Amino acid sequence: MLDNVAVGVIVSTSGGKEHQGKMTLFVFLTCLVASSGGLIFGYDIGISGGVTSMDSFLSRFFPSVYKQQMADSSTNQYCKFDSQLLTLFTSSLYVAALLSSFLASTVTRMFGRKWSMFAGGITFLLGSAINGAAMNVLMLILGRVLLGIGIGFANQAVPLYLSEMAPPGLRGTLNIGFQLMITVGIFAANLINYGTASIKGGWGWRVSLGLAAVPALIITIGSLVLPDTPNSLIERGHDEEAKAMLRKIRGTEDIRDEYDDLVAASDEAKSVDHPWSNIMQRKYRPQLTIAILIPFFQQLTGINVIMFYAPLLFKTIGFGSEASLASAVITGTVNVFGTFVSIATVDKLGRRALFLQGGTQMLVSQLVVGTLIALKFGSSGVATDVTKNYASIIVLFICFYVAAFAWSWGPLGWLVPSEIFPLEIRSAGQSITVSVNMFFTFLIAQVFLTALCHLKFGLFYFFAGWVAIMTLFIEVFLPETKSVPIEEIILVWKNHWFWSKFISDEDVHVGNSESVDDRVEDA
Ligand code: BGC
């Protein structure tokens, strides 16, 4: 296991360390604009759950679900909303996002990060227009596919952009802007749903779906004014522009060491023709493993059961239709504020500490929620006496769970994969992360309603089991990446007790004149 001391030494062997933590106004503003790419993802996560619980929406597009819902409240609460068509509506977006992230990888690498963000914004804009105007299920699904393509592009490019722009010592803080915007998007969507649900005349859902155009416009216009990252500029042969950009974002003339790192990374990248076959090489096994497991684990925390289905879930545990949206607003607020905890601490405490603390808190909360539901609903799913107090306690523990996710697996699930790859395969690696994330988001959205029906309260224990496994995995296998310059991250793997087996000395290329052997030995 790599300890913090080792990382500290790696950092101290590379040059230009006075820039580890300097935030210039320019870098802050560019990262703020780029982060807004998270809004489209968040808005969508938050809007679907609320819309699919609106009577006017259900009765128009999913009449059988609507009839089932109107049924007597004494029927089995775990199985009430089980409809494959309804979950297909939610899930279609994720399949589109999964596939489009591979295309986005090429755009991001060949044309720069900003054009992927632009493509994401425009496609999402189109999708929101079709959805707002939907006359039938086909239009709904088509709209969602376009939204998905938009998200695939944005999630592929934004985290990379942020990690490359940020000075090493602030990389966590700035990258988590993306997750912050995701949570703001979710929260805004929850509020909007709350408002539109009460619109008389049955067209409230159109407002909810159509308003997705607002975050889409923000990232579309925003991406046009963004500069590209120095890493991407060098990768595409614009060396002088890259130097100028580096001076501007670091706020200093002294950029030689960092520039050397970037050039070394870019030379390495140029020797690689096919990032996709390249990524399969043994020396990239550590990064590839993490790029797959982190998003997989992130979804297996079960967070999206809460995010997508909070209104349905709260209905199930006895809240009325209004109260269920109100509860979703509560978890939305906790999600936003929890993210600030991460922003403030990630570059000080490090990624591992947040993962381990957050994982433990989530585990405990899930066990409590599962047990509280078990005690009331048993295995029959029938409960007649769920008091307001009892339901409030469940909501409270759901909030503990969401808060922990918001400062651990939420932001780190995007940050860590975006900072572990060498330049030559960074874009391909990020696509893998996005697609694994989307695949499991899809899977969980698709099977949740059926799973709730069969596993009942055991669903919470199921996710708790996974949280235990992933927390253990982090403890044993995840090296700390806090403050390490992005083009020197290879040294972190080279120093890890397990992952070092995969990396030979010749595989370590960094731009500093000091020999690699010395650096690794120093560390
Ligand atoms: C995850 C989403 C999740 C959101 C909740 C993101 O990091 O990728 O699946 O819904 O966090 O805030």
Side-chain angles (χ1 to χ4, degrees), residues 277-405:
S277 55
N278 218 60
I279 210 169
M280 300 310 292
Q281 289 178 21
R282 186 179 160 81
K283 62 176 174 178
Y284 299 128
R285 212 51 55 78
Q287 295 96 324
L288 185 61
T289 310
I290 299 290
I292 293 172
L293 283 183
I294 294 272
F296 165 74
F297 284 148
Q298 190 205 49
Q299 290 309 311
L300 265 288
T301 58
I303 187 67
N304 281 323
V305 164
I306 307 291
M307 292 300 142
F308 298 155
Y309 299 110
L312 294 185
L313 204 63
F314 286 126
K315 248 184 205 178
T316 305
I317 58 177
F319 285 86
S321 168
E322 278 262 307
S324 70
L325 280 174
S327 310
V329 170
I330 297 170
T331 55
T333 317
V334 171
N335 199 16
V336 174
F337 285 98
T339 309
F340 279 108
V341 173
S342 200
I343 289 181
T345 57
V346 69
D347 289 319
K348 297 190 184 81
L349 303 177
R351 286 67 167 143
R352 283 172 51 85
L354 288 174
F355 265 131
L356 297 176
Q357 190 286 332
T360 311
Q361 183 170 328
M362 288 164 82
L363 178 65
V364 173
S365 312
Q366 278 165 318
L367 292 177
V368 172
V369 171
T371 306
L372 288 175
I373 294 184
L375 290 176
K376 265 300 171 230
F377 292 87
S379 51
S380 68
V382 181
T384 44
D385 61 337
V386 186
T387 60
K388 270 249 147 33
N389 280 346
Y390 200 86
S392 309
I393 296 175
I394 297 180
V395 171
L396 184 71
F397 276 92
I398 289 180
C399 287
F400 285 152
Y401 163 80
V402 171
F405 176 88

Side-chain angles (χ1 to χ4, degrees), residues 54 152 186 201 216 224 445 499 513:
M54 284 181 197
I186 297 175
L224 288 176
W499 299 119
S513 50

